[in-house]
Protein backbone atom coordinates (compact mmCIF):
# COMPACT_ATOMS: atom_id res chain seq x y z
CA UNK A 1 0.00 0.00 0.00
CA UNK A 2 2.84 2.36 0.91
CA UNK A 3 4.51 1.63 -2.44
CA UNK A 4 1.31 2.48 -4.36
CA UNK A 5 0.86 5.72 -2.44
CA UNK A 6 4.47 6.69 -3.08
CA UNK A 7 4.02 5.99 -6.81
CA UNK A 8 0.89 8.15 -7.00
CA UNK A 9 2.58 10.94 -5.08
CA UNK A 10 5.62 10.83 -7.37
CA UNK A 11 3.40 10.83 -10.45
CA UNK A 12 1.43 13.79 -9.08
CA UNK A 13 4.58 15.77 -8.43
CA UNK A 14 5.86 15.06 -11.95
CA UNK A 15 2.59 16.07 -13.60
CA UNK A 16 1.97 19.22 -11.55
CA UNK A 17 4.01 21.59 -13.81
CA UNK A 18 2.23 20.20 -16.88
CA UNK A 19 -1.19 20.54 -15.25
CA UNK A 20 -0.53 24.13 -14.17
CA UNK A 21 0.72 25.03 -17.64
CA UNK A 22 -2.35 23.53 -19.30
CA UNK A 23 -4.69 25.27 -16.88
CA UNK A 24 -3.11 28.64 -17.65
CA UNK A 25 -3.58 28.28 -21.42
CA UNK A 26 -6.88 29.47 -22.94
CA UNK A 27 -8.84 26.81 -24.71
CA UNK A 28 -8.99 26.83 -28.48
CA UNK A 29 -12.56 28.14 -28.35
CA UNK A 30 -11.59 31.02 -26.07
CA UNK A 31 -8.67 31.97 -28.31
CA UNK A 32 -10.87 31.84 -31.39
CA UNK A 33 -13.53 33.96 -29.68
CA UNK A 34 -10.88 36.50 -28.72
CA UNK A 35 -9.66 36.70 -32.33
CA UNK A 36 -13.23 37.05 -33.54
CA UNK A 37 -13.77 39.95 -31.14
CA UNK A 38 -10.53 41.51 -32.37
CA UNK A 39 -11.76 41.28 -35.96
CA UNK A 40 -15.10 42.86 -35.00
CA UNK A 41 -13.27 45.69 -33.22
CA UNK A 42 -11.02 46.30 -36.23
CA UNK A 43 -14.03 46.36 -38.56
CA UNK A 44 -15.66 48.97 -36.33
CA UNK A 45 -12.47 51.06 -36.32
CA UNK A 46 -12.31 50.77 -40.10
CA UNK A 47 -15.92 51.90 -40.42
CA UNK A 48 -15.27 54.96 -38.24
CA UNK A 49 -12.11 55.88 -40.15
CA UNK A 50 -14.03 55.53 -43.42
CA UNK A 51 -16.72 57.89 -42.13
CA UNK A 52 -14.00 60.35 -41.14
CA UNK A 53 -12.56 60.03 -44.67
CA UNK A 54 -9.30 58.66 -43.31
CA UNK A 55 -9.16 56.19 -46.19
CA UNK A 56 -5.50 55.15 -45.96
CA UNK A 57 -5.79 54.43 -42.24
CA UNK A 58 -9.07 52.60 -42.80
CA UNK A 59 -7.41 50.41 -45.42
CA UNK A 60 -4.64 49.43 -43.00
CA UNK A 61 -7.14 48.52 -40.27
CA UNK A 62 -9.45 46.65 -42.66
CA UNK A 63 -6.49 44.62 -44.00
CA UNK A 64 -5.84 43.45 -40.44
CA UNK A 65 -9.50 42.53 -39.98
CA UNK A 66 -9.43 40.67 -43.30
CA UNK A 67 -6.40 38.64 -42.23
CA UNK A 68 -8.08 37.57 -38.99
CA UNK A 69 -11.39 36.80 -40.69
CA UNK A 70 -9.58 34.57 -43.18
CA UNK A 71 -7.67 32.81 -40.38
CA UNK A 72 -10.98 32.08 -38.65
CA UNK A 73 -12.74 31.21 -41.92
CA UNK A 74 -15.37 33.80 -40.98
CA UNK A 75 -17.00 34.55 -44.33
CA UNK A 76 -19.28 37.27 -42.99
CA UNK A 77 -16.47 39.37 -41.52
CA UNK A 78 -14.24 38.60 -44.49
CA UNK A 79 -16.90 39.94 -46.84
CA UNK A 80 -17.44 43.01 -44.65
CA UNK A 81 -13.71 43.77 -44.67
CA UNK A 82 -13.54 43.29 -48.44
CA UNK A 83 -16.47 45.66 -48.98
CA UNK A 84 -14.82 48.25 -46.74
CA UNK A 85 -11.56 47.92 -48.61
CA UNK A 86 -13.37 48.31 -51.92
CA UNK A 87 -15.20 51.40 -50.71
CA UNK A 88 -12.01 53.05 -49.44
CA UNK A 89 -10.04 52.32 -52.60
CA UNK A 90 -12.96 53.69 -54.61
CA UNK A 91 -12.91 56.86 -52.50
CA UNK A 92 -9.21 57.23 -53.26
CA UNK A 93 -9.95 56.99 -56.98
CA UNK A 94 -8.44 53.52 -57.37
CA UNK A 95 -11.46 52.09 -59.19
CA UNK A 96 -9.81 48.91 -60.51
CA UNK A 97 -8.48 47.93 -57.09
CA UNK A 98 -11.89 48.67 -55.55
CA UNK A 99 -13.55 46.42 -58.13
CA UNK A 100 -11.15 43.59 -57.28
CA UNK A 101 -12.20 43.74 -53.63
CA UNK A 102 -15.89 43.98 -54.50
CA UNK A 103 -15.55 40.92 -56.76
CA UNK A 104 -13.95 38.96 -53.91
CA UNK A 105 -16.73 40.00 -51.52
CA UNK A 106 -19.66 39.10 -53.78
CA UNK A 107 -19.49 35.27 -53.61
CA UNK A 108 -18.95 35.43 -49.84
CA UNK A 109 -21.95 37.69 -49.38
CA UNK A 110 -24.06 35.29 -51.41
CA UNK A 111 -22.76 32.34 -49.39
CA UNK A 112 -23.79 33.93 -46.07
CA UNK A 113 -27.11 35.15 -47.44
CA UNK A 114 -26.38 38.87 -47.02
CA UNK A 115 -28.71 40.36 -49.63
CA UNK A 116 -27.96 43.94 -48.57
CA UNK A 117 -24.25 43.31 -49.01
CA UNK A 118 -24.86 41.74 -52.41
CA UNK A 119 -26.84 44.81 -53.44
CA UNK A 120 -24.04 47.08 -52.21
Amino acid sequence: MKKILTSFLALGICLTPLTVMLMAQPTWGQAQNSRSQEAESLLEQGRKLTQQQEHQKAIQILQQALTIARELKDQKNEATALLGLGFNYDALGEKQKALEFYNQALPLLRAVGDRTGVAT
Side-chain angles (χ1 to χ4, degrees):
M1 181 71 161
K2 186 176 180 183
K3 189 174 184 179
I4 293 172
L5 271 172
T6 305
S7 296
F8 277 126
L9 183 59
L11 181 63
I13 290 170
C14 291
L15 292 179
T16 299
L18 177 63
T19 306
V20 169
M21 191 171 76
L22 290 174
M23 287 172 44
Q25 297 296 319
T27 64
W28 180 79
Q30 289 170 331
Q32 186 177 18
N33 191 36
S34 173
R35 291 292 278 168
S36 181
Q37 288 172 347
E38 182 180 357
E40 294 279 347
S41 175
L42 289 167
L43 287 170
E44 180 61 23
Q45 288 176 28
R47 185 185 63 75
K48 287 179 181 177
L49 288 166
T50 299
Q51 288 176 337
Q52 296 167 1
Q53 298 184 6
E54 296 281 344
H55 301 295
Q56 289 292 350
K57 290 179 184 177
I59 287 169
Q60 292 173 348
I61 296 296
L62 291 168
Q63 283 286 2
Q64 293 174 24
L66 178 61
T67 299
I68 295 169
R70 285 181 171 163
E71 278 176 20
L72 298 175
K73 298 181 182 2
D74 182 344
Q75 290 183 321
K76 182 178 179 289
N77 282 340
E78 182 178 352
T80 301
L82 289 165
L83 278 179
L85 286 164
F87 183 87
N88 281 286
Y89 277 110
D90 186 29
L92 291 172
E94 296 187 45
K95 307 294 184 190
Q96 188 59 44
K97 197 155 189 165
L99 186 58
E100 291 171 16
F101 284 108
Y102 290 142
N103 284 333
Q104 290 177 59
L106 186 58
L108 295 172
L109 292 163
R110 287 184 176 142
V112 298
D114 183 348
R115 294 174 60 169
T116 303
V118 170
T120 300

